């Protein structure tokens, strides 16, 4: 088995230690940081990592670019939310139902779409996700349609009368998110070094060659999609319960599918920590724009006058700019560092090493 | 029966404009093998151009295509030269993502510049219609169908008869062979993307009197453009024409019989069925 963090044993041991230290720090984080906004950002980062890592299993390791992953995210979000709001099922149980629903959907979609390759698969995945979005919009008596579903109260999970979790603060969401993040990273690592993972990567490199070696393309592509879909639905459930409001235009939108892919593209596709880096770049950036931190700091620092035309433009419009920044990032990354930030860093390091020799 | 005929005819009329969108996408795909995910956003830019030409300078939307067409051609050529050209040889996934990114920049740039409010371009004939044998036909749709038909005819003539048109078709058939024959493949790519953008923008201008105009309108049309081209067979211009009309009719009839909220689902289901049973499309070759 390849070491988790590097190729040489010394560096490997060091990075395992560093990794453990990071995990311990992350576990202690809510004890020291009382600031709810910081917790909020962390939870959003966790959700993004889960989304990105789940997509990475299918897109990064198996090479099947789904641009319709919002379907599974929405499946998790809607199942958990509907069970919770309309049937008072605690989210800890609803999450499992969401995962089951995503699995069923994935098997259906997979058996239809995996007959298609390359751009045709991409298109089919978008079309399927759009069918889900329009259906959720139109099935008003099931999903509330465009109005969406709003949490009024999260039923706590009780076993034998003792309270296991209550969701009155952000802390339980933080730990749930962190646990799921560790879970998907673990799964990715195990997969990367397992026979199953090798089959996935063989399909990514050359599916015809893989097929001629006796690897069943339909079976393994479906396996990758199922795993990816179930974990994506986990992110969807967590998002829905945490934010407390879902509607088709947020949890089933094409923009979301693109954003999921983007997390991986920016960090580096087909690597364990690519999605982590992608989420660490994207979430704070889009939050800073959404909450208009950049505009305000420009005004507060006196660079831009608040009552000038440019100042009012900043305060009014810059909060909408985060999707624009996504677009710019995609274009820049694809044109200048197609292997993502991780790949770019590796290439830089390799060049440095060469210069030294 | 009248309802059926009514929806059939309005489907064909709107289908003409869809065909124009599809032809643009199919030319780009044919020449460069690049799927342009920003196609709907080019259409949206065309819509905004038309809207502001109308409100600021009072130029009628159907006349303003004289300005929109060449402008969008230049814009498309610029995008091809600066962005698309760099990734022609790379993975198809990267090409898809790059064009998605370009689309996001366009739609959100427009949103920053003109806010996300819905705009309506209302001319004095926007809602006018006339009756033939008990079937009412919307005037702006009929005019835009006539213009579309005209543009399509000119386009066919251009691609079949002119030297540049033949060079474009040769590039689409075999890029390397065309290059060996002395065709400037890079220039043909720029012209092809320009043409595609120009057709998308024109379609946007033509539908602007009948549609809401807002920054995110493009993504619907991008998907529609794909359905149309895949239906007709990627790269086939005749296929895109047929596909456009077919989708227009399917949407219109589906809207009547399943409710207007479900008409998009009808289109996507149709699309998946075609992908599954005849992935090469209606007019495509079997090996694509």
């Amino acid at each position: 088995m390849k070491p988790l963090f590097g190729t040489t044993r010394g560096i490997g041991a060091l990075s395992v230690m560093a990794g453990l230290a990071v995990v311990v720090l992350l576990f202690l984080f809510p004890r020291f940081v009382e600031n709810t906004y910081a917790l909020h950002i962390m939870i959003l980062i966790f959700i993004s990592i889960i989304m990105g890592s789940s997509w990475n299993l299918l897109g990064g390791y198996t090479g099947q670019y789904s641009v319709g992953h919002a379907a599974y995210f929405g499946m998790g979000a809607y199942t958990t939310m509907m069970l919770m709001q309309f049937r008072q099922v605690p989210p800890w149980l609803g999450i499992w139902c969401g995962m089951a629903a995503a699995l069923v959907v994935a098997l259906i979609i997979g058996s239809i779409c995996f007959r298609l390759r390359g751009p045709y698969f991409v298109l089919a995945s978008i079309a399927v996700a759009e069918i889900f979005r329009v259906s959720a919009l139109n099935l008003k008596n099931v999903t509330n349609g465009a109005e969406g579903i709003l949490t009024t109260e999260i039923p706590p999970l009780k076993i034998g009368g003792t309270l296991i979790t209550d969701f009155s603060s952000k802390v339980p969401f933080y730990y749930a998110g962190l646990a799921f993040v560790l879970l998907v990273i673990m799964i990715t690592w195990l997969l990367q070094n397992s026979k199953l993972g090798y089959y996935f990567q063989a399909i990514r490199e050359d599916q015809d060659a893989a097929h001629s070696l006796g690897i069943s393309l339909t079976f393994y592509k479906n396996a990758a999609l199922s795993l990816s879909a179930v974990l994506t639905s986990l992110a969807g459930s967590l998002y829905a319960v945490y934010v407390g409001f879902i509607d088709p235009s947020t949890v089933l939108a094409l923009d979301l599918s693109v954003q999921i892919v983007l997390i991986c593209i920016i960090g580096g596709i087909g690597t364990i920590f690519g999605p982590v880096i992608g989420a660490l770049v994207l979430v704070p950036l889009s939050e800073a724009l959404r909450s208009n931190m950049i505009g305000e700091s420009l005004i507060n620092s006196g660079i831009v006058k608040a009552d000038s035309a440019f100042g009012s433009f900043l305060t009014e419009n810059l909060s909408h700019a985060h999707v624009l920044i996504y677009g710019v990032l995609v274009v820049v990354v694809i044109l200048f560092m197609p292997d993502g930030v991780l790949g770019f860093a590796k290439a830089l390091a390799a060049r440095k090493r060469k210069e030294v020799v | 029966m009248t309802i059926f005929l009514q929806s059939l005819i309005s489907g064909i009329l709107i289908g003409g404009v869809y065909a124009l969108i599809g032809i643009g996408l199919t030319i780009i795909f044919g020449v460069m093998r690049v799927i342009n995910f920003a196609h709907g956003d080019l259409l949206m830019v065309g819509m905004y151009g038309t809207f502001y030409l109308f409100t600021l300078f009072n130029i009628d939307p159907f006349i303003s295509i004289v300005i929109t067409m060449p402008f969008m051609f230049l814009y498309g050529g610029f995008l091809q030269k600066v962005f698309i050209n760099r990734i022609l040889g790379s993975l198809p996934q990267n090409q898809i993502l790059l064009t998605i990114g370009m689309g996001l920049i366009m739609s959100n740039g427009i949103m920053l510049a003109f806010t996300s409010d819905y705009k309506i371009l209302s001319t004095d004939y926007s809602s006018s219609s006339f009756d033939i044998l008990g079937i009412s036909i919307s005037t702006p749709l009929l005019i835009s169908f006539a213009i579309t038909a005209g543009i399509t005819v000119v386009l066919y003539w251009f691609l079949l008869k002119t030297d540049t048109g033949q060079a474009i078709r040769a590039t689409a058939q075999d890029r390397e062979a065309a290059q060996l024959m002395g065709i400037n493949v890079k220039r043909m790519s720029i012209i092809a993307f320009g043409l595609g953008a120009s057709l998308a923008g024109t379609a946007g201008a033509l539908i602007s009197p009948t549609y809401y105009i807002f920054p995110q309108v493009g993504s619907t049309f991008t998907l529609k453009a794909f359905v149309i081209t895949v239906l007709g067979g990627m790269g086939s211009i005749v296929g895109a024409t047929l596909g456009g009309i077919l989708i227009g009719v399917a949407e219109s009839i589906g809207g009547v019989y399943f409710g207007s909220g479900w008409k998009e689902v009808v289109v996507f289901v149709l699309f998946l069925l075609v992908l599954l049973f005849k992935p090469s499309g209606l007019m495509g070759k079997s090996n694509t």
Side-chain angles (χ1 to χ4, degrees):
Chain A
M1 215 180 244
K2 273 196 287 178
L4 179 47
F5 295 97
T7 39
T8 18
R9 189 172 286 177
I11 297 175
L14 263 182
S15 31
V16 169
M17 300 274 273
L20 279 177
V22 169
V23 171
V24 170
L25 278 179
L26 281 173
F27 263 100
L28 295 176
F29 185 78
R31 294 196 162 246
F32 299 116
V33 181
E34 305 258 297
N35 185 338
T36 48
Y37 189 67
L39 276 183
H40 172 71
I41 297 290
M42 289 303 283
I43 294 167
L44 290 183
I45 290 176
F46 290 159
I47 293 173
S48 291
I49 296 175
I50 304 166
M51 290 186 327
S53 294
S54 318
W55 183 88
N56 198 25
L57 296 176
L58 180 70
Y61 286 98
T62 323
Q64 306 301 309
Y65 276 53
S66 153
V67 190
H69 256 49
Y72 313 110
F73 188 90
M75 204 37 96
Y78 264 99
T79 311
T80 312
M81 218 36 186
M82 289 193 313
L83 284 173
M84 191 170 85
Q85 270 329 106
F86 306 143
R87 294 278 179 275
Q88 281 73 46
V89 178
W92 282 119
L93 303 178
I95 279 180
W96 292 93
C97 302
M99 291 188 338
L103 181 66
V104 172
V105 170
L107 288 174
I108 297 171
I109 293 181
S111 53
I112 297 173
C113 296
F114 280 135
R115 294 204 226 159
L116 305 162
R117 289 181 176 195
Y120 291 98
F121 174 75
V122 176
L123 294 175
S125 70
I126 295 179
V128 172
E130 282 296 292
I131 289 176
F132 276 94
R133 185 183 63 84
V134 179
S135 304
L137 209 56
N138 283 305
L139 292 169
K140 289 195 181 71
N141 44 0
V142 185
T143 60
N144 263 6
E147 273 175 46
I149 306 173
L150 184 72
T151 328
T152 42
E153 198 197 340
I154 304 174
L157 181 67
K158 283 179 187 163
I159 296 177
T162 45
L163 192 69
I164 306 291
T165 43
D166 74 316
F167 291 96
S168 44
S169 80
K170 288 186 192 296
V171 178
F173 291 105
Y174 178 91
Y175 283 117
L178 182 56
F180 292 154
V181 165
L182 294 177
L183 177 76
V184 285
I185 290 179
M186 199 66 190
I187 288 176
T188 313
W189 177 65
L190 285 174
L191 189 90
Q192 187 169 304
N193 299 298
S194 71
K195 207 167 142 190
L196 188 66
Y198 292 144
Y199 284 168
F200 286 178
Q201 290 168 59
I203 292 174
R204 177 188 66 193
E205 295 309 325
D206 187 339
Q207 47 178 318
D208 292 317
H211 186 64
S212 68
L213 289 174
I215 298 175
S216 162
L217 294 183
T218 359
F219 179 80
Y220 287 104
K221 283 181 185 175
N222 271 311
L225 176 65
S226 305
L227 191 60
S228 172
V230 164
L231 294 171
T232 308
S233 97
L234 208 58
S237 303
L238 184 64
Y239 172 87
V241 182
Y242 174 62
V243 174
F245 172 71
I246 56 169
D247 69 343
S249 67
T250 50
V251 299
L252 282 166
L254 183 61
D255 278 358
L256 177 69
S257 298
V258 174
Q259 201 186 324
I260 294 176
V261 184
L262 200 54
I263 295 166
C264 297
I265 299 280
I266 286 179
I269 284 182
T271 58
I272 296 177
F273 290 105
V276 178
I277 292 176
L280 283 174
V281 172
L282 268 188
V283 175
L285 187 70
S286 69
E287 275 310 299
L289 287 166
R290 209 193 301 257
S291 61
N292 213 356
M293 231 181 256
I294 295 178
E296 269 166 26
S297 58
L298 276 179
I299 289 167
N300 290 341
S301 61
I303 298 173
V304 179
K305 282 201 181 82
D307 50 356
S308 69
F310 188 59
S312 60
F313 172 78
L314 280 183
T315 46
E316 276 164 26
N317 292 315
L318 208 62
S319 58
H320 300 304
H322 64 281
V323 189
L324 178 72
I325 302 294
Y326 285 176
V328 174
L329 275 176
V330 180
V331 171
V332 169
V333 168
I334 294 285
L335 286 182
F336 299 108
M337 33 181 170
D339 296 321
V341 174
L342 263 186
F344 187 67
K346 269 183 199 156
L348 269 188
R351 198 187 294 165
K352 271 245 171 82
R353 228 173 289 142
K354 250 185 204 159
E355 277 168 12
V356 171
V357 175
Chain B
M1 196 59 197
T2 327
I3 297 176
F4 178 78
L5 275 181
Q6 173 82 56
S7 51
L8 184 70
I9 287 183
S10 61
I12 292 174
L13 291 184
I14 192 72
V17 183
Y18 286 176
L20 212 54
I21 309 172
I23 294 172
L25 189 71
T26 226
I27 289 179
I28 293 175
F29 178 81
V31 172
M32 279 167 285
R33 303 284 137 181
V34 165
I35 296 187
N36 176 24
F37 267 84
H39 207 67
D41 297 292
L42 291 169
L43 177 138
M44 180 269 306
V45 172
M47 281 176 117
Y48 270 87
T50 312
F51 178 81
Y52 280 101
L53 282 175
F54 180 74
T55 41
L56 296 180
F57 305 106
N58 211 11
I59 302 176
D60 187 274
F62 293 124
I63 294 167
S64 71
I65 57 170
V66 185
I67 303 166
T68 318
M69 277 186 103
F71 173 77
M72 290 302 291
F73 182 86
L74 292 177
Y75 181 55
F78 163 79
L79 290 181
Q80 154 68 23
K81 202 167 161 54
V82 176
F83 298 104
I84 311 284
N85 224 356
R86 292 167 186 259
I87 48 131
L88 278 185
S90 79
L91 293 169
Q93 292 89 318
N94 283 2
Q95 301 169 347
I96 292 171
L97 292 167
L98 180 79
T99 50
I100 287 181
M102 284 163 50
L104 286 177
I105 296 176
M106 280 186 240
S107 57
N108 288 281
I110 291 276
M111 189 166 89
L112 275 184
F114 303 116
T115 74
S116 54
D117 298 342
Y118 281 45
K119 297 188 193 315
I120 300 168
L121 194 164
S122 56
T123 52
D124 41 9
Y125 53 80
S126 265
S127 54
S128 73
S129 60
F130 56 89
D131 283 5
I132 294 178
L133 304 170
I135 296 165
S136 88
I137 293 170
S138 138
T139 317
L141 274 187
L142 188 70
I143 301 174
S144 66
F145 184 81
I147 295 177
T148 320
I151 292 174
T152 315
V153 169
V154 172
L155 192 71
Y156 272 100
W157 170 81
F158 169 74
L159 288 172
L160 291 176
K161 298 290 176 196
T162 62
D163 286 351
T164 318
Q166 284 175 339
I168 288 178
R169 286 193 299 137
T171 314
Q173 266 173 16
D174 190 332
R175 218 178 158 79
E176 277 175 24
Q179 196 151 23
L180 290 174
M181 294 296 152
I183 292 172
N184 187 343
V185 171
K186 278 202 171 144
R187 221 183 94 210
M188 290 312 135
S189 301
I190 294 175
I191 294 178
F193 208 94
L195 263 182
S198 162
L199 292 177
T202 309
L206 291 178
I207 58 170
S208 56
T210 38
Y211 266 80
Y212 286 112
I213 302 168
F214 57 101
Q216 265 71 34
V217 73
S219 62
T220 336
F221 283 101
T222 303
L223 286 175
K224 225 169 256 178
F226 279 119
V227 178
I228 292 161
T229 44
V230 170
L231 208 60
M234 283 270 198
S236 157
I237 295 173
V238 182
T241 315
L242 276 180
I245 292 181
L246 207 64
I247 288 300
V249 171
E251 242 187 39
S252 167
I253 292 180
V256 170
Y257 291 98
F258 298 102
S260 63
W262 290 102
K263 67 179 187 188
E264 280 176 64
V265 172
V266 173
V267 173
F268 289 132
V269 170
L270 196 69
F271 170 64
L272 284 178
L273 288 177
V274 170
L275 275 181
L276 287 176
F277 295 108
K278 199 169 183 317
S280 55
L282 299 175
M283 303 299 280
K285 293 179 199 79
S286 54
N287 61 352
T288 41

